[in-house]
Amino acid sequence: MLGWIFGLFGKKKQFSLGLYGPPNSGKTTLANRISLDWTGEPVGKVSEIPHETRQVQKKEHIELKVDGKRFSMNLLDMPGIATKVDYREFIPYGLELKEAQQRAKEATKGIIEAIKWLEHVDVALVVLDSTEDPYTQVNLTIIGNLEARKIPVIIVANKIDSKKAKPDRIKSAFPQYKLVEVSALKGDNIHKLYKEIASSN
Amino acid sequence: MAVQIEFVSSKTLKQLSSEKKIAMVLESVKKNEILVLEEPLTLDEERMLIRETMKVISKKFPGIEISSLSPQEEDLRSQFIRFIGGRTSGLTVVGPANLVREMKKDPNKLRVLTK
């Protein structure tokens, strides 16, 4: 009833949208795409080196209008969740030893922070790389924990612009969830994603 | 590096709280053991394990590889098996990332690839 009354007076719905997923699945590229579309400003820096996002990055009060429905959301770009962080994996990207070790240290803290936030998002986008095997325990743990908290989950099969992309593998691994195939880099199907976000809150 | 695999029985696991289970798993994998848990970790325990692993990552210990096979769906048959004290499958395998390169799984199979 209250929602109906607020609706009459044009009060916008407000919610927080969390972007979850493993490292390098394109979460920040997608967060930037969403934020640029609606605010003209990016959320964070993108890099090919894993664990570029090591703190939760927020963009608050993003106003969206999708199919006549207006809402305001806080976008939360989470550090990628992983079960291992090996500083030696950063060295081939040209990082000095100390830089790599510092990055690893910050990445572990970022993962703890992302896990803490699992309970505080209203809708979650689980961003998966369509060129990778989706059937990993980390993906199952993230999605299972969100589901256990009754947080609506939209799976985003990202990087469909790649020739190696196999979004069908993601579809068959998680058939019970809403899934949108996108290229965050090129913007393909982003409007389909906005429609799903609008219908999930 | 020699591969040491330790099996932990369902009976042992049932006696432990989630916190103690996670501590036991971490203690073993830090000693370069691959653990096979006869009772799979719950989603919440997996979340806790990832969080606690992050707290102990060091130059020597880069983290873990983990994979679980879920127990059978809860139908009448499995309820009966549980009632008479039996198990309806499911397990978790955890290993140190400096020893286990990858764990691949499809819904019913699990492959552990070591370095």
Side-chain angles (χ1 to χ4, degrees), chain A residues 92-104:
Chain A
Y93 292 95
L95 265 65
E96 298 290 332
L97 179 67
K98 286 213 163 156
E99 253 182 308
Q101 287 171 344
Q102 182 60 25
R103 190 183 186 89

Side-chain angles (χ1 to χ4, degrees), chain A residues 5-24:
Chain A
I5 293 168
F6 282 138
L8 269 182
F9 291 97
K11 181 166 171 74
K12 291 184 289 279
K13 279 184 121 181
Q14 178 142 12
F15 65 98
S16 61
L17 180 78
L19 273 70
Y20 277 96
N24 270 23

Side-chain angles (χ1 to χ4, degrees), chain B residues 44-111:
Chain B
D44 211 40
E45 287 168 345
E46 282 175 6
R47 178 184 63 85
M48 284 165 63
L49 177 61
I50 297 174
R51 188 188 63 205
E52 296 308 307
T53 300
M54 290 304 121
K55 293 179 186 170
V56 293
I57 280 183
S58 65
K59 289 175 202 166
K60 285 184 183 169
F61 178 65
I64 59 166
E65 286 288 345
I66 176 170
S67 203
S68 292
L69 289 179
S70 310
Q72 252 175 259
E73 276 182 33
E74 198 65 21
D75 54 11
L76 269 178
R77 184 178 157 274
S78 59
Q79 278 174 12
F80 177 70
I81 294 170
R82 276 178 199 277
F83 179 72
I84 58 172
R87 290 183 57 250
T88 53
S89 76
L91 55 83
T92 291
V93 183
V94 195
N98 50 4
L99 183 65
V100 179
R101 180 160 49 93
E102 203 182 352
M103 288 193 194
K104 287 196 164 224
K105 81 178 220 176
D106 65 33
N108 307 310
K109 248 190 308 183
L110 211 160
R111 266 190 299 164

Side-chain angles (χ1 to χ4, degrees), chain A residues 81-88 101 104 107-109 111-112 115-116 118-119 133 135-138 140-141 144-145 148-149, chain B residues 43-44 46-47 50-51 53-55 57-68 97-98 100-101 104-107 115:
Chain A
I81 296 182
T83 56
K84 59 180 174 184
V85 183
D86 191 343
Y87 72 93
R88 284 165 292 208
Q101 287 171 344
T108 58
K109 286 184 182 161
I111 293 170
I112 295 171
I115 289 172
K116 272 187 197 160
L118 271 170
E119 297 170 28
D133 175 15
Y135 217 71
T136 67
Q137 200 59 41
V138 166
L140 294 166
T141 304
N145 272 278
R149 289 162 177 76
Chain B
L43 285 165
D44 211 40
E46 282 175 6
R47 178 184 63 85
I50 297 174
R51 188 188 63 205
T53 300
M54 290 304 121
K55 293 179 186 170
I57 280 183
S58 65
K59 289 175 202 166
K60 285 184 183 169
F61 178 65
I64 59 166
E65 286 288 345
I66 176 170
S67 203
S68 292
N98 50 4
V100 179
R101 180 160 49 93
K104 287 196 164 224
K105 81 178 220 176
D106 65 33
K115 284 183 178 171

